[in-house]
Amino acid sequence: MIFAQVMKAYSVEEIRLLEEKMNTYEHWVFLLILLVAVLVLVSVLQRLTIAKLKSFESSKTKLIAKGFIANEDFDRLHSRDVAIADIHTITQTPIHSEMTIGGKDLLYPGLVFKYIVNIDTNKVITIGQREGNIVTRSTDVLDNHLTIVISADDVSNLEILSYTLEFRREGKVLLQLPGARSFREMGMKEKIHVSKTLSFDGESCFESLSSKFPIRFRIGSRVSADGKFKSGYFEFHLFSKDVFEKTTNGTKRIEKHFYLKLVKIFPGYDTAGQTKEGLVPMLGRFGGGL
């Protein structure tokens, strides 16, 4: 009888509804468990990300600290006088400063300088270290190392002009005149004349100075006992070319333009050994001068 009452309390429709509710509850429980799992996973990932960021910041701080120390050491190093690099090699790294110069600031063999001499004004040509018409920037050269003064002579001559070249030196100069077989040490002051019409007693005079037979001179610092430069030198050739120029009378006269050619820098600039003043020594070499 009891069993019959129980069976009567829950009909088939009611049992079906209960099963549907149980299935719904199961779905909700599953979704809740899935949501909890997702939240746990997100929390773990956040913790890992925070830990990684903390580690990165710590490393960055250490690197910055090391960089500051390196910069401070670098500043302390350059606050003292820095020793100049050995001049006997070109493979060294040059000392960079505001006075550092490059190849474009230096002379090179083959350069030719042209000078026109006015009748009423002397032409003054100066070769020097940091000053002058031709600046070498070489430690082997002095300022006003060599001065050449060219003046026109016999200006009343309406056919051809004559010229006087006066050489003055502050540093060592080796000179070779046209026709001479070797260089000799130049005096403190010498005169040379270029003329086809005049003669000068006791002084050298040439009818012309061609590019094949120029006045050759070398400038440098120290001359050895055999009459050659010990370290290095610059070799220049001075020559002239005839030109026709109008006179005040309207006629044409043979005058000269003068040319100074840099033929050789021996053995060459050592740009790696330049000084803080922007001066460059010669390359180190074996043996004496040539």
Side-chain angles (χ1 to χ4, degrees), residues 237-264:
H237 291 181
L238 178 63
F239 57 92
S240 63
K241 292 182 180 180
D242 292 342
V243 294
F244 286 96
E245 297 289 349
K246 284 187 178 181
T247 66
T248 54
N249 296 330
T251 61
K252 285 191 174 182
R253 170 173 55 193
I254 297 177
E255 299 182 6
K256 296 184 183 300
H257 290 171
F258 289 85
Y259 297 84
L260 195 57
K261 181 177 182 179
L262 176 56
V263 177
K264 184 188 297 184

mmCIF file of all heavy atoms in Angstrom, residues 237-264:
data_model
loop_
_atom_site.group_PDB
_atom_site.id
_atom_site.type_symbol
_atom_site.label_atom_id
_atom_site.label_comp_id
_atom_site.label_asym_id
_atom_site.label_seq_id
_atom_site.Cartn_x
_atom_site.Cartn_y
_atom_site.Cartn_z
ATOM 1 N N HIS A 237 108.470 72.188 -55.863
ATOM 2 C CA HIS A 237 109.139 72.653 -57.066
ATOM 3 C C HIS A 237 108.543 73.999 -57.460
ATOM 4 O O HIS A 237 107.309 74.139 -57.553
ATOM 5 C CB HIS A 237 108.980 71.661 -58.220
ATOM 6 C CG HIS A 237 109.720 70.377 -58.023
ATOM 7 N ND1 HIS A 237 109.726 69.355 -58.946
ATOM 8 C CD2 HIS A 237 110.507 69.955 -56.994
ATOM 9 C CE1 HIS A 237 110.468 68.354 -58.502
ATOM 10 N NE2 HIS A 237 110.944 68.693 -57.319
ATOM 11 N N LEU A 238 109.421 74.960 -57.715
ATOM 12 C CA LEU A 238 108.998 76.296 -58.119
ATOM 13 C C LEU A 238 109.386 76.508 -59.584
ATOM 14 O O LEU A 238 110.561 76.388 -59.933
ATOM 15 C CB LEU A 238 109.646 77.350 -57.223
ATOM 16 C CG LEU A 238 109.333 78.811 -57.548
ATOM 17 C CD1 LEU A 238 107.844 79.107 -57.371
ATOM 18 C CD2 LEU A 238 110.169 79.744 -56.667
ATOM 19 N N PHE A 239 108.418 76.820 -60.424
ATOM 20 C CA PHE A 239 108.708 77.055 -61.841
ATOM 21 C C PHE A 239 107.781 78.146 -62.362
ATOM 22 O O PHE A 239 106.875 78.611 -61.648
ATOM 23 C CB PHE A 239 108.562 75.776 -62.660
ATOM 24 C CG PHE A 239 107.217 75.109 -62.580
ATOM 25 C CD1 PHE A 239 106.210 75.404 -63.499
ATOM 26 C CD2 PHE A 239 106.940 74.192 -61.572
ATOM 27 C CE1 PHE A 239 104.967 74.799 -63.422
ATOM 28 C CE2 PHE A 239 105.689 73.575 -61.493
ATOM 29 C CZ PHE A 239 104.700 73.883 -62.412
ATOM 30 N N SER A 240 107.996 78.560 -63.593
ATOM 31 C CA SER A 240 107.210 79.653 -64.166
ATOM 32 C C SER A 240 106.820 79.327 -65.602
ATOM 33 O O SER A 240 107.392 78.442 -66.240
ATOM 34 C CB SER A 240 108.016 80.965 -64.135
ATOM 35 O OG SER A 240 109.175 80.853 -64.949
ATOM 36 N N LYS A 241 105.828 80.065 -66.095
ATOM 37 C CA LYS A 241 105.390 79.949 -67.485
ATOM 38 C C LYS A 241 105.240 81.349 -68.056
ATOM 39 O O LYS A 241 104.756 82.264 -67.372
ATOM 40 C CB LYS A 241 104.063 79.194 -67.576
ATOM 41 C CG LYS A 241 104.166 77.727 -67.197
ATOM 42 C CD LYS A 241 102.815 77.034 -67.370
ATOM 43 C CE LYS A 241 102.906 75.562 -67.000
ATOM 44 N NZ LYS A 241 101.595 74.864 -67.155
ATOM 45 N N ASP A 242 105.648 81.507 -69.314
ATOM 46 C CA ASP A 242 105.545 82.805 -69.972
ATOM 47 C C ASP A 242 104.118 83.070 -70.418
ATOM 48 O O ASP A 242 103.415 82.171 -70.913
ATOM 49 C CB ASP A 242 106.471 82.865 -71.184
ATOM 50 C CG ASP A 242 107.948 82.860 -70.781
ATOM 51 O OD1 ASP A 242 108.232 83.149 -69.601
ATOM 52 O OD2 ASP A 242 108.798 82.570 -71.637
ATOM 53 N N VAL A 243 103.670 84.299 -70.235
ATOM 54 C CA VAL A 243 102.348 84.732 -70.681
ATOM 55 C C VAL A 243 102.493 86.110 -71.315
ATOM 56 O O VAL A 243 103.431 86.861 -71.015
ATOM 57 C CB VAL A 243 101.343 84.793 -69.519
ATOM 58 C CG1 VAL A 243 101.062 83.411 -68.961
ATOM 59 C CG2 VAL A 243 101.841 85.723 -68.413
ATOM 60 N N PHE A 244 101.580 86.437 -72.207
ATOM 61 C CA PHE A 244 101.565 87.762 -72.819
ATOM 62 C C PHE A 244 100.546 88.621 -72.086
ATOM 63 O O PHE A 244 99.370 88.260 -71.976
ATOM 64 C CB PHE A 244 101.209 87.674 -74.308
ATOM 65 C CG PHE A 244 102.318 87.131 -75.166
ATOM 66 C CD1 PHE A 244 102.368 85.792 -75.505
ATOM 67 C CD2 PHE A 244 103.322 87.979 -75.635
ATOM 68 C CE1 PHE A 244 103.378 85.292 -76.293
ATOM 69 C CE2 PHE A 244 104.345 87.483 -76.426
ATOM 70 C CZ PHE A 244 104.380 86.136 -76.758
ATOM 71 N N GLU A 245 101.032 89.763 -71.596
ATOM 72 C CA GLU A 245 100.163 90.690 -70.878
ATOM 73 C C GLU A 245 100.249 92.070 -71.516
ATOM 74 O O GLU A 245 101.311 92.492 -72.010
ATOM 75 C CB GLU A 245 100.567 90.783 -69.406
ATOM 76 C CG GLU A 245 100.421 89.479 -68.635
ATOM 77 C CD GLU A 245 98.969 89.101 -68.389
ATOM 78 O OE1 GLU A 245 98.066 89.946 -68.618
ATOM 79 O OE2 GLU A 245 98.726 87.951 -67.981
ATOM 80 N N LYS A 246 99.147 92.788 -71.486
ATOM 81 C CA LYS A 246 99.134 94.128 -72.050
ATOM 82 C C LYS A 246 99.825 95.112 -71.115
ATOM 83 O O LYS A 246 99.675 95.049 -69.892
ATOM 84 C CB LYS A 246 97.699 94.586 -72.304
ATOM 85 C CG LYS A 246 97.062 93.959 -73.528
ATOM 86 C CD LYS A 246 95.697 94.594 -73.794
ATOM 87 C CE LYS A 246 95.069 94.015 -75.056
ATOM 88 N NZ LYS A 246 93.748 94.632 -75.358
ATOM 89 N N THR A 247 100.574 96.042 -71.704
ATOM 90 C CA THR A 247 101.195 97.104 -70.927
ATOM 91 C C THR A 247 100.285 98.323 -70.921
ATOM 92 O O THR A 247 99.231 98.353 -71.574
ATOM 93 C CB THR A 247 102.566 97.481 -71.525
ATOM 94 O OG1 THR A 247 102.351 98.054 -72.827
ATOM 95 C CG2 THR A 247 103.450 96.229 -71.653
ATOM 96 N N THR A 248 100.703 99.361 -70.206
ATOM 97 C CA THR A 248 99.914 100.602 -70.180
ATOM 98 C C THR A 248 99.903 101.285 -71.541
ATOM 99 O O THR A 248 99.019 102.101 -71.830
ATOM 100 C CB THR A 248 100.495 101.559 -69.124
ATOM 101 O OG1 THR A 248 101.887 101.751 -69.386
ATOM 102 C CG2 THR A 248 100.323 100.979 -67.724
ATOM 103 N N ASN A 249 100.884 100.943 -72.368
ATOM 104 C CA ASN A 249 100.953 101.528 -73.711
ATOM 105 C C ASN A 249 100.094 100.766 -74.713
ATOM 106 O O ASN A 249 100.019 101.146 -75.882
ATOM 107 C CB ASN A 249 102.400 101.555 -74.215
ATOM 108 C CG ASN A 249 103.270 102.459 -73.362
ATOM 109 O OD1 ASN A 249 102.781 103.435 -72.796
ATOM 110 N ND2 ASN A 249 104.548 102.139 -73.272
ATOM 111 N N GLY A 250 99.470 99.661 -74.255
ATOM 112 C CA GLY A 250 98.633 98.891 -75.145
ATOM 113 C C GLY A 250 99.356 97.785 -75.887
ATOM 114 O O GLY A 250 98.722 97.017 -76.619
ATOM 115 N N THR A 251 100.664 97.698 -75.713
ATOM 116 C CA THR A 251 101.425 96.622 -76.349
ATOM 117 C C THR A 251 101.425 95.393 -75.445
ATOM 118 O O THR A 251 101.051 95.466 -74.268
ATOM 119 C CB THR A 251 102.872 97.065 -76.628
ATOM 120 O OG1 THR A 251 103.502 97.383 -75.379
ATOM 121 C CG2 THR A 251 102.895 98.281 -77.541
ATOM 122 N N LYS A 252 101.901 94.260 -75.988
ATOM 123 C CA LYS A 252 101.977 93.033 -75.208
ATOM 124 C C LYS A 252 103.428 92.746 -74.821
ATOM 125 O O LYS A 252 104.343 92.916 -75.618
ATOM 126 C CB LYS A 252 101.395 91.865 -75.994
ATOM 127 C CG LYS A 252 99.877 91.889 -76.067
ATOM 128 C CD LYS A 252 99.318 90.590 -76.606
ATOM 129 C CE LYS A 252 97.801 90.581 -76.545
ATOM 130 N NZ LYS A 252 97.215 89.307 -77.025
ATOM 131 N N ARG A 253 103.577 92.283 -73.609
ATOM 132 C CA ARG A 253 104.911 92.008 -73.070
ATOM 133 C C ARG A 253 104.921 90.605 -72.482
ATOM 134 O O ARG A 253 103.920 90.110 -71.965
ATOM 135 C CB ARG A 253 105.240 93.048 -72.001
ATOM 136 C CG ARG A 253 106.487 92.753 -71.195
ATOM 137 C CD ARG A 253 106.832 93.903 -70.289
ATOM 138 N NE ARG A 253 105.731 94.278 -69.412
ATOM 139 C CZ ARG A 253 105.692 95.411 -68.705
ATOM 140 N NH1 ARG A 253 106.685 96.281 -68.793
ATOM 141 N NH2 ARG A 253 104.675 95.676 -67.924
ATOM 142 N N ILE A 254 106.088 89.954 -72.548
ATOM 143 C CA ILE A 254 106.233 88.626 -71.948
ATOM 144 C C ILE A 254 106.426 88.783 -70.443
ATOM 145 O O ILE A 254 107.398 89.390 -69.985
ATOM 146 C CB ILE A 254 107.428 87.864 -72.559
ATOM 147 C CG1 ILE A 254 107.188 87.621 -74.048
ATOM 148 C CG2 ILE A 254 107.625 86.531 -71.830
ATOM 149 C CD1 ILE A 254 108.355 86.928 -74.731
ATOM 150 N N GLU A 255 105.469 88.272 -69.690
ATOM 151 C CA GLU A 255 105.587 88.242 -68.236
ATOM 152 C C GLU A 255 105.513 86.783 -67.785
ATOM 153 O O GLU A 255 105.387 85.870 -68.597
ATOM 154 C CB GLU A 255 104.488 89.090 -67.600
ATOM 155 C CG GLU A 255 104.560 90.558 -68.005
ATOM 156 C CD GLU A 255 103.506 91.416 -67.338
ATOM 157 O OE1 GLU A 255 102.779 90.888 -66.456
ATOM 158 O OE2 GLU A 255 103.389 92.608 -67.697
ATOM 159 N N LYS A 256 105.600 86.563 -66.490
ATOM 160 C CA LYS A 256 105.626 85.193 -65.982
ATOM 161 C C LYS A 256 104.592 84.991 -64.893
ATOM 162 O O LYS A 256 104.388 85.865 -64.042
ATOM 163 C CB LYS A 256 107.016 84.843 -65.439
ATOM 164 C CG LYS A 256 108.106 84.842 -66.497
ATOM 165 C CD LYS A 256 109.438 84.405 -65.933
ATOM 166 C CE LYS A 256 110.531 84.492 -67.000
ATOM 167 N NZ LYS A 256 110.269 83.646 -68.173
ATOM 168 N N HIS A 257 103.953 83.824 -64.946
ATOM 169 C CA HIS A 257 103.165 83.337 -63.827
ATOM 170 C C HIS A 257 103.983 82.263 -63.129
ATOM 171 O O HIS A 257 104.605 81.416 -63.787
ATOM 172 C CB HIS A 257 101.835 82.751 -64.312
ATOM 173 C CG HIS A 257 100.889 83.785 -64.831
ATOM 174 N ND1 HIS A 257 99.714 83.460 -65.486
ATOM 175 C CD2 HIS A 257 100.934 85.150 -64.790
ATOM 176 C CE1 HIS A 257 99.081 84.573 -65.808
ATOM 177 N NE2 HIS A 257 99.803 85.605 -65.405
ATOM 178 N N PHE A 258 103.974 82.281 -61.808
ATOM 179 C CA PHE A 258 104.784 81.347 -61.038
ATOM 180 C C PHE A 258 103.895 80.252 -60.442
ATOM 181 O O PHE A 258 102.750 80.502 -60.044
ATOM 182 C CB PHE A 258 105.548 82.087 -59.941
ATOM 183 C CG PHE A 258 106.665 82.943 -60.487
ATOM 184 C CD1 PHE A 258 106.419 84.227 -60.936
ATOM 185 C CD2 PHE A 258 107.955 82.439 -60.555
ATOM 186 C CE1 PHE A 258 107.439 85.017 -61.454
ATOM 187 C CE2 PHE A 258 108.990 83.215 -61.058
ATOM 188 C CZ PHE A 258 108.724 84.503 -61.516
ATOM 189 N N TYR A 259 104.479 79.067 -60.373
ATOM 190 C CA TYR A 259 103.749 77.898 -59.880
ATOM 191 C C TYR A 259 104.594 77.189 -58.815
ATOM 192 O O TYR A 259 105.815 77.033 -58.985
ATOM 193 C CB TYR A 259 103.453 76.916 -61.009
ATOM 194 C CG TYR A 259 102.550 77.489 -62.080
ATOM 195 C CD1 TYR A 259 103.083 78.257 -63.111
ATOM 196 C CD2 TYR A 259 101.175 77.269 -62.053
ATOM 197 C CE1 TYR A 259 102.260 78.793 -64.090
ATOM 198 C CE2 TYR A 259 100.345 77.799 -63.033
ATOM 199 C CZ TYR A 259 100.894 78.563 -64.049
ATOM 200 O OH TYR A 259 100.082 79.085 -65.018
ATOM 201 N N LEU A 260 103.927 76.794 -57.757
ATOM 202 C CA LEU A 260 104.568 76.041 -56.689
ATOM 203 C C LEU A 260 103.857 74.700 -56.580
ATOM 204 O O LEU A 260 102.662 74.644 -56.272
ATOM 205 C CB LEU A 260 104.465 76.809 -55.370
ATOM 206 C CG LEU A 260 105.376 76.368 -54.220
ATOM 207 C CD1 LEU A 260 106.837 76.407 -54.618
ATOM 208 C CD2 LEU A 260 105.139 77.263 -53.005
ATOM 209 N N LYS A 261 104.585 73.635 -56.862
ATOM 210 C CA LYS A 261 103.992 72.294 -56.864
ATOM 211 C C LYS A 261 104.544 71.467 -55.720
ATOM 212 O O LYS A 261 105.765 71.380 -55.552
ATOM 213 C CB LYS A 261 104.272 71.585 -58.198
ATOM 214 C CG LYS A 261 103.653 70.188 -58.293
ATOM 215 C CD LYS A 261 103.893 69.560 -59.660
ATOM 216 C CE LYS A 261 103.241 68.188 -59.757
ATOM 217 N NZ LYS A 261 103.455 67.567 -61.089
ATOM 218 N N LEU A 262 103.627 70.857 -54.941
ATOM 219 C CA LEU A 262 104.034 69.929 -53.891
ATOM 220 C C LEU A 262 104.259 68.566 -54.546
ATOM 221 O O LEU A 262 103.305 67.919 -54.986
ATOM 222 C CB LEU A 262 102.959 69.839 -52.805
ATOM 223 C CG LEU A 262 103.210 68.814 -51.689
ATOM 224 C CD1 LEU A 262 104.544 69.047 -50.994
ATOM 225 C CD2 LEU A 262 102.076 68.847 -50.670
ATOM 226 N N VAL A 263 105.502 68.143 -54.626
ATOM 227 C CA VAL A 263 105.863 66.924 -55.347
ATOM 228 C C VAL A 263 105.862 65.705 -54.440
ATOM 229 O O VAL A 263 105.445 64.615 -54.836
ATOM 230 C CB VAL A 263 107.247 67.097 -56.020
ATOM 231 C CG1 VAL A 263 107.679 65.805 -56.724
ATOM 232 C CG2 VAL A 263 107.212 68.247 -57.014
ATOM 233 N N LYS A 264 106.311 65.887 -53.187
ATOM 234 C CA LYS A 264 106.490 64.713 -52.338
ATOM 235 C C LYS A 264 106.302 65.081 -50.874
ATOM 236 O O LYS A 264 106.716 66.163 -50.430
ATOM 237 C CB LYS A 264 107.897 64.131 -52.541
ATOM 238 C CG LYS A 264 108.183 62.846 -51.774
ATOM 239 C CD LYS A 264 109.665 62.458 -51.890
ATOM 240 C CE LYS A 264 110.073 62.164 -53.307
ATOM 241 N NZ LYS A 264 111.478 61.690 -53.384
#
